[in-house]
Amino acid sequence: MTEFLRRALVASPTPPAREAAAALADSADWVPVGDADVVIALGGDGFMLQTLHQMLARRQLAVPVFGMNLGTVGFLMNEWRPHGLDGRLARAKSFKVTPLEMTATGVDGRVHTLPAINEVSLLRETRQTAKLEVTVNDRIVLPELACDGILAATPAGSTAYNLSAQGPILPLGSALIALTPISPFRPRRWRGAILPDKTRIGLRVLEPAKRPVSAVADQREVRDVASVAISMDRARELTLLFDPEHALDDRITMEQFAA
């Protein structure tokens, strides 16, 4: 059992999350996030991603985050309850989440390196179909993929955009990456790949002037890219805390049986 003495409270700007933060205001001596040994996040999945990205930026990799859902889906969150937080933290089950690293080179030559906890996605910017060359560990596996886009998802992110694009659900801890096309036109029968998480994925934009493509790492976009390299960033693992009855690994498993 872990005792978290220094707790920080962060909340989404939405009215429900602000009301929840007010309800918890007197329940602990809250400290700034930079001084905390656990962060309580109130909001939805989008706010949880923002919080985790802030932890990456601050290099607070050892500080776990316990989220409570005040949003819509709340896949990365626990149930909102204003009471019993001490006991919940004491019983919480921890899960490591390893982000992807996206290195996107623009047509202007500028290089952007960004983390992605859920997925890296490439998307066409105009009505023109995107054309991409796909490499795996520097080997060309698809000389030309005509599509609306393509994404690489972590196990934690495999039930998000990846699932909506008909990609596979990856069990947490499976050490896999899902590579999923978005509305593929050619080759028609290619539905994606499941790759070991040690894989280096390369995506080169063909005809970038005629068929411009943007790259998105979770919620951060780089426009007009020429190429994108994707790999797991094991040096920056994050920790999420969950109630034992609502643990992330069980949620991901049960999504495979959702109607």
Side-chain angles (χ1 to χ4, degrees):
M1 182 177 70
T2 302
E3 186 177 8
F4 300 106
L5 298 177
R6 296 173 300 170
R7 303 174 187 177
L9 181 66
V10 295
S12 164
T14 64
R18 290 301 182 189
E19 291 174 12
L24 292 177
D26 296 329
S27 65
D29 293 325
W30 304 104
V31 302
V33 172
D35 298 330
D37 52 27
V38 67
V39 173
I40 310 302
L42 307 178
D45 288 332
F47 182 70
M48 173 60 86
L49 285 178
Q50 291 178 29
T51 301
L52 293 175
H53 277 282
Q54 289 168 4
M55 304 298 284
L56 287 172
R58 295 188 185 100
R59 299 188 179 276
Q60 287 183 278
L61 305 180
V63 179
V65 181
F66 183 89
M68 286 192 278
N69 186 32
L70 277 302
T72 305
V73 179
F75 194 83
L76 296 174
M77 316 296 280
N78 297 281
E79 179 185 355
W80 158 246
R81 295 199 299 269
H83 306 294
L85 184 58
D86 289 352
R88 294 174 75 183
L89 290 174
R91 298 190 308 271
K93 188 175 180 181
S94 66
F95 292 89
K96 296 292 185 182
V97 176
T98 306
L100 296 167
E101 181 179 83
M102 176 186 85
T103 302
T105 302
V107 294
D108 59 1
R110 296 177 62 187
V111 178
H112 308 262
T113 301
L114 298 171
I117 294 159
N118 271 1
E119 75 278 318
V120 170
S121 55
L122 271 66
L123 305 165
R124 65 184 175 109
E125 294 180 5
T126 68
R127 60 182 178 82
Q128 292 277 11
T129 300
K131 289 188 176 180
L132 307 171
E133 176 192 82
V134 182
T135 64
V136 171
N137 295 331
D138 302 318
R139 175 184 176 184
I140 297 175
V141 292
L142 286 176
E144 183 178 291
L145 171 65
C147 56
D148 280 357
I150 192 171
L151 64 87
T154 65
S158 67
T159 58
Y161 190 9
N162 173 71
L163 182 58
S164 297
Q166 308 300 313
I169 294 175
L170 304 177
L172 203 65
S174 61
L176 297 171
I177 298 173
L179 185 63
T180 302
I182 302 167
S183 300
F185 180 67
R186 289 284 189 275
R188 286 191 185 277
R189 295 180 181 176
W190 190 66
R191 291 294 178 263
I194 298 174
L195 304 170
D197 69 0
K198 295 179 180 179
T199 303
R200 302 183 311 278
I201 300 168
L203 303 167
R204 184 169 69 89
V205 180
L206 307 177
E207 305 176 46
K210 180 181 179 182
R211 305 170 186 273
V213 171
S214 65
V216 183
D218 286 342
Q219 301 158 334
R220 298 178 65 185
E221 181 183 30
V222 179
R223 303 281 289 182
D224 300 326
V225 297
S227 64
V228 173
I230 304 167
S231 59
M232 279 286 186
D233 187 359
R234 289 181 181 77
R236 298 207 285 176
E237 280 189 334
L238 295 158
T239 302
L240 297 180
L241 298 176
F242 287 90
D243 293 319
E245 65 273 19
H246 294 292
L248 184 59
D249 57 348
D250 184 57
R251 291 186 182 193
I252 290 176
T253 297
M254 295 311 297
E255 277 294 308
Q256 299 177 82
F257 302 95

